[in-house]
Amino acid sequence: MSWTILFGLLLVLGFLSAVASLRRAELGSMERAVTERDRALQSGSREAQLQHPVVDLTRCMGCATCVAVCPETGVLEIVHGQATIVNGAGCLGISACERECPVGAITVTIANAETRRDIPAIAESFEAVGAPGVFLAGEVTAQALIRTAIEHGTAVAAEVADRVRALNGAADREALDLAIVGAGPAGLACALEARRHGLRFAVIDRADDWGGTVAKYPRNKLVLTQPVDLPLYGRIKQTTLTKEELMELWTGVAAANQLPFIGGKTLDALLRDERGRLVVRCGDEQLVANNVCLAIGRRGTPRTLGVPGEDLAKVAYSLIDATSFVGRRILVVGGGDSAVETALALASTGGNRVTLSYRKARFFRLRPRNAEKLERAVRDGKLALCLESQVTAIHRDRIELRVRAHGVDEARSIANDDVFVMIGGVAPFATLEAAGVSFDPALRPPPRETVSNKAALTRALWAASACAFGVLLFILWHHDYYLSSATERATHVDHALLRPGAGIGLWFGISALALVAVNLAYLLRRSPRFKLSFGTLQSWMTVHVATGVAAVLLAFLHSALAPRATPGGDAAWLLVGLLVTGAIGRWFYAWVPRAANGRELELDEIRAQAHELPQSWGESGRAFGDEARDQVLELIRERQWKSSFFGRVFALFGADRLKRRTLTALELRGMREGVPREEIDRTLALVRRAHERALATAHFEDLRAVANTWRYLHRWGAVSMVALILVHVVHALIYGDYFGGGPA
């Protein structure tokens, strides 16, 4: 017996140790996510310049599907059991998170679309509001994906074709049906769709060949990560295409379909003649058309430094092939993803000495993957950083910089062979406005609301209710059998039909088994390990609810409403348990995490106020402000992440004493340093709020962790149910007479 007790004790201690370790790891992961989110908030990279995800915490149930399907690391993380935006600047706009969320809790939208004046006002047909016949497609609409650009271009040509057909031959034959400005993915797709519809059209671009901005990407850069449909070609099924592969495909498709192309012409103006037709002026070239598709992107012309020597041949504004630079002394100017990617590409080939110059003290809005690569390259000595620096002059063999070091500007000269200026471009908004395109936010349609699964869930519950009503009618129809005793049933006239081993009773069991299989298939569809993409995850979630209810009803009909103490009977009761735990668990998955994240949002505000403390006063109070900020941040960190569950329980009794001690020490220091009384009081109030909110958030997180065991109860109940069903089926096939018509 003593050995049994010892062995049992070891098992219990081992299990508790494993649980504690997993819990500590979970808290550590959440702490890192919150810290990174705070850093992104301070640096301005919390939101992307164009598209970024928005999470509705009232719906999110913490399944982490959005995190698993996001192609970029660090954009989304799970905090307090729900998805949260950590670094929105890394969002590529692919919207995989939105498509895969089973409860419609996440939407990828344009940041601050309600107030921004750099997004054109367009209708659903992509026609500019107030400018008839002028269509916009691709990145100029603030949608940056290649796949989206192709969809836009295709839709524009289809819309123009519908309008031409509606005129029934009355269109102006002296003008083109469609003039396409821009030969990138949107322009190419628009041209191919126009060819498919037999439109009279032409494509004009400032480059000499197809590709647009994609053609200027660095060599071998991956540019397509999703399948896409291209008109007159079909589906591009590859999910990893380099720039060269994509350019070869595009130029081949354009040549095969003999698309009319005019290269080397830059758009100067888009006007209307006296007959209302659109006139596209590109230098000495002029196109007259009834409709125009502007697929000109957002980058426009490269932004220049405006310094002496910038006109030298060694200055470039894009990198095509990094391998052509060997043993060179190179300066890259800029702090965005393009600049960092250029510097990394040049630093990885040919023994180049690369310096990255950026005018600010730290990088903003970098994709997490680029930030990690940059940090690694600097650490390994492959790349030199020159922050808070500005180029003042460019010479044939050197660069003049003004660098701020220790608060003082100093001149610096470095030897140099090549300069890459990657500081963005001058967007073509002035040209668009002159053409009648409006950027007034009031003219844009309201932002698309997050798609809710409430209607789908309601349909699922109605379907389950209908099934329950049908089962009730069936029971009432055969009430004399179902209400009789087991002895009486054996001689009942309907026994052969309704008993579990034959007739309809058997088919009830087979149907319940099929519904259980479909119900569990939801887990396969949701798991990132299995590449299943049939149907939307929201539809699968709806089916999961409906089949769960229906399987219970059919299982009890299969047992003739009298489940016995057998594996089959136990499986039926486990089905009931799963239905109950799933319904109750839905509350745990949403309400408790939402409450914790609500407190987390309050802590975000407190952190932001703490960061502002040292900047709000003069030199006399700067030291006090720094200490107060550090006290606030450390207090949040210790209370929220570092103390254990039992430690926080005991801390409830000593919390006031610790808070009073901290407040007293800060108050005395503020008085010693002559900080105004109102500022001391404001700081003490902030410390008090930080302590209370951090403690409340920690306790909500503890409650969520305890409630999360319900999810494991649901899962292990499902495993046990499957095992019992298998035993029941095998036992019935071996020992029963299900197909022979004999007694059950």
Side-chain angles (χ1 to χ4, degrees):
M1 180 63 71
S2 58
W3 283 102
T4 303
I5 295 175
L6 179 60
F7 185 68
L9 182 61
L10 289 174
L11 281 178
V12 171
L13 291 176
F15 174 76
L16 292 177
S17 299
V19 169
S21 298
L22 290 173
R23 178 63 180 153
R24 181 57 60 188
E26 183 185 25
L27 286 174
S29 175
M30 283 192 288
E31 181 188 11
R32 288 189 294 272
V34 170
T35 302
E36 181 60 32
R37 183 178 65 183
D38 182 45
R39 188 171 69 178
L41 186 64
Q42 296 301 317
S43 68
S45 63
R46 180 79 185 276
E47 290 185 350
Q49 293 182 352
L50 293 180
Q51 293 173 283
H52 74 140
V54 176
V55 179
D56 184 350
L57 295 180
T58 64
R59 302 176 190 172
C60 178
M61 65 177 190
C63 66
T65 303
C66 55
V67 180
V69 300
C70 181
E72 288 291 318
T73 57
V75 175
L76 293 163
E77 294 291 347
I78 297 296
V79 175
H80 301 306
Q82 288 186 307
T84 188
I85 312 302
V86 174
N87 194 328
C91 179
L92 299 177
I94 292 176
S95 302
C97 56
E98 179 179 327
R99 291 191 301 273
E100 290 300 298
C101 179
V103 293
I106 190 165
T107 300
V108 176
T109 184
I110 297 175
N112 305 317
E114 301 86 352
T115 57
R116 294 177 60 163
R117 304 194 69 88
D118 61 342
I119 302 174
I122 57 176
E124 290 185 2
S125 61
F126 301 103
E127 186 175 30
V129 177
V134 178
F135 296 84
L136 281 74
E139 192 179 15
V140 71
T141 67
Q143 306 284 332
L145 287 180
I146 291 176
R147 184 198 67 192
T148 306
I150 291 174
E151 292 172 352
H152 287 186
T154 304
V156 167
E159 174 68 21
V160 171
D162 288 342
R163 296 187 182 188
V164 170
R165 280 193 293 269
L167 292 174
N168 197 22
D172 187 348
R173 303 298 296 178
E174 297 178 3
L176 295 171
D177 294 324
L178 178 63
I180 303 168
V181 184
L188 173 65
C190 190
L192 290 170
E193 185 70 3
R195 173 68 79 201
R196 192 172 75 83
H197 287 283
L199 299 178
R200 293 176 295 110
F201 70 97
V203 182
I204 194 165
D205 193 272
R206 64 184 176 189
D208 293 323
D209 207 343
W210 298 90
T213 303
V214 177
K216 298 179 176 62
Y217 285 167
R219 186 171 176 267
N220 289 326
K221 178 178 179 178
L222 291 176
V223 293
L224 190 66
T225 57
Q226 288 182 294
V228 65
D229 293 311
L230 191 65
L232 295 180
Y233 177 83
R235 192 162 187 80
I236 303 175
K237 297 180 180 180
Q238 298 95 315
T239 56
T240 53
L241 279 175
T242 64
K243 181 196 80 170
E244 287 74 21
E245 292 171 333
L246 192 59
M247 291 299 301
E248 181 180 0
L249 187 153
W250 283 353
T251 54
V253 171
N257 291 279
Q258 299 179 348
L259 303 180
F261 177 78
I262 304 171
K265 305 295 181 181
T266 301
L267 176 66
D268 295 325
L270 177 61
L271 309 171
R272 288 189 187 272
D273 63 13
E274 65 281 357
R275 296 166 59 180
R277 301 178 303 181
L278 293 162
V279 180
V280 180
R281 288 184 179 174
C282 299
D284 57 352
E285 193 74 36
Q286 181 170 292
L287 298 177
V288 180
N290 295 314
N291 301 279
V292 172
C293 177
L294 298 175
I296 55 179
R298 292 175 64 87
R299 304 190 184 190
T301 57
R303 184 174 282 112
T304 60
L305 296 171
V307 300
E310 194 171 5
D311 56 346
L312 291 173
K314 71 175 189 175
V315 179
Y317 299 91
S318 64
L319 174 66
I320 303 299
D321 186 5
T323 60
S324 61
F325 295 86
V326 178
R328 308 287 286 181
R329 298 166 299 182
I330 304 172
L331 179 75
V332 179
V333 183
D337 285 301
S338 296
V340 170
E341 289 173 3
T342 298
L344 291 171
L346 290 166
S348 63
T349 60
N352 296 317
R353 291 164 52 192
V354 181
T355 302
L356 179 59
S357 168
Y358 185 41
R359 60 189 177 88
K360 296 184 178 180
R362 56 185 177 180
F363 292 93
F364 294 79
R365 300 186 182 278
L366 281 185
R367 291 195 182 110
R369 191 176 301 173
N370 282 337
E372 293 173 6
K373 290 181 179 179
L374 177 62
E375 183 179 352
R376 193 182 312 121
V378 172
R379 186 175 61 246
D380 296 342
K382 296 180 179 180
L383 181 67
L385 282 183
C386 190
L387 299 176
E388 293 188 274
S389 64
Q390 289 184 288
V391 177
T392 56
I394 302 174
H395 304 283
R396 295 188 182 278
D397 59 348
R398 71 185 191 282
I399 296 290
E400 302 292 337
L401 296 169
R402 183 174 67 250
V403 183
R404 189 167 186 82
H406 308 293
V408 179
D409 289 342
E410 62 179 37
R412 188 177 300 177
S413 178
I414 61 174
N416 174 264
D417 299 313
D418 303 284
V419 179
F420 288 89
V421 180
M422 313 293 289
I423 55 176
V426 179
F429 298 150
T431 303
L432 293 174
E433 286 184 313
V437 177
S438 175
F439 290 83
D440 186 355
L443 296 179
R444 291 197 292 267
R448 179 169 52 91
E449 294 184 359
T450 305
V451 178
S452 172
N453 77 325
K454 290 182 179 179
L457 183 60
T458 301
R459 287 195 297 270
L461 294 176
W462 273 111
S465 299
C467 184
F469 185 70
V471 168
L472 178 61
L473 291 179
F474 187 84
I475 293 172
L476 292 176
W477 184 18
H478 298 282
H479 68 280
D480 54 335
Y481 176 79
Y482 289 118
L483 296 179
S484 60
S485 65
T487 304
E488 294 171 336
R489 286 184 183 183
T491 59
H492 196 281
V493 65
D494 291 332
H495 184 58
L497 178 68
L498 301 178
R499 70 188 183 90
I504 296 178
L506 174 60
W507 283 106
F508 282 146
I510 294 174
S511 300
L513 185 62
L515 289 176
V516 168
V518 173
N519 187 274
L520 295 177
Y522 163 74
L523 302 177
L524 300 179
R525 174 62 180 83
R526 204 187 78 179
S527 174
R529 299 186 187 92
F530 301 95
K531 303 298 182 181
L532 298 178
S533 58
F534 174 72
T536 66
L537 203 53
Q538 288 194 36
S539 299
W540 278 90
M541 181 68 172
T542 303
V543 172
H544 185 66
V545 174
T547 55
V549 176
V552 172
L553 297 172
L554 292 178
F556 272 85
L557 279 180
H558 170 60
S559 69
L561 303 186
R564 293 176 293 173
T566 62
D570 294 338
W573 287 116
L574 269 175
L575 269 174
V576 175
L578 289 174
L579 189 63
V580 174
T581 55
I584 297 176
R586 184 64 185 89
W587 178 81
F588 284 149
Y589 303 159
W591 186 86
V592 177
R594 184 167 73 248
N597 272 307
R599 299 298 189 279
E600 191 67 57
L601 293 176
E602 294 180 29
L603 288 177
D604 279 349
E605 296 178 5
I606 293 174
R607 290 188 188 94
Q609 293 175 27
H611 282 294
E612 293 173 0
L613 283 176
Q615 285 79 33
S616 59
W617 307 325
E619 291 296 329
S620 60
R622 185 65 56 82
F624 173 72
D626 287 337
E627 181 180 350
R629 177 199 59 202
D630 295 341
Q631 286 274 11
V632 169
L633 297 179
E634 182 61 24
L635 188 150
I636 292 174
R637 180 171 175 270
E638 286 295 325
R639 275 283 173 250
Q640 192 177 6
W641 306 116
K642 296 306 176 184
S643 58
S644 65
F645 171 74
F646 293 107
R648 283 192 287 269
V649 171
F650 291 122
L652 286 173
F653 302 100
D656 283 339
R657 186 174 69 252
L658 175 63
K659 182 172 61 176
R660 283 196 301 271
R661 189 166 65 243
T662 303
L663 292 173
T664 301
L666 274 176
E667 184 177 16
L668 291 175
R669 173 155 188 177
M671 294 173 63
R672 280 199 314 268
E673 297 184 3
V675 178
R677 185 69 220 184
E678 60 271 16
E679 298 295 352
I680 294 177
D681 291 341
R682 186 165 70 91
T683 302
L684 297 181
L686 184 64
V687 173
R688 205 175 286 114
R689 281 182 58 212
H691 181 270
E692 293 169 356
R693 297 300 187 274
L695 200 59
T697 305
H699 282 296
F700 265 111
E701 171 55 30
D702 291 334
L703 176 61
R704 186 199 67 81
V706 173
N708 199 41
T709 58
W710 198 268
R711 178 172 293 180
Y712 292 100
L713 178 64
H714 186 69
R715 290 175 180 174
W716 284 107
V719 172
S720 303
M721 177 203 66
V722 171
L724 287 173
I725 288 177
L726 291 175
V727 172
H728 173 61
V729 171
V730 171
H731 183 272
L733 292 175
I734 295 175
Y735 298 105
D737 188 23
Y738 277 94
F739 302 102

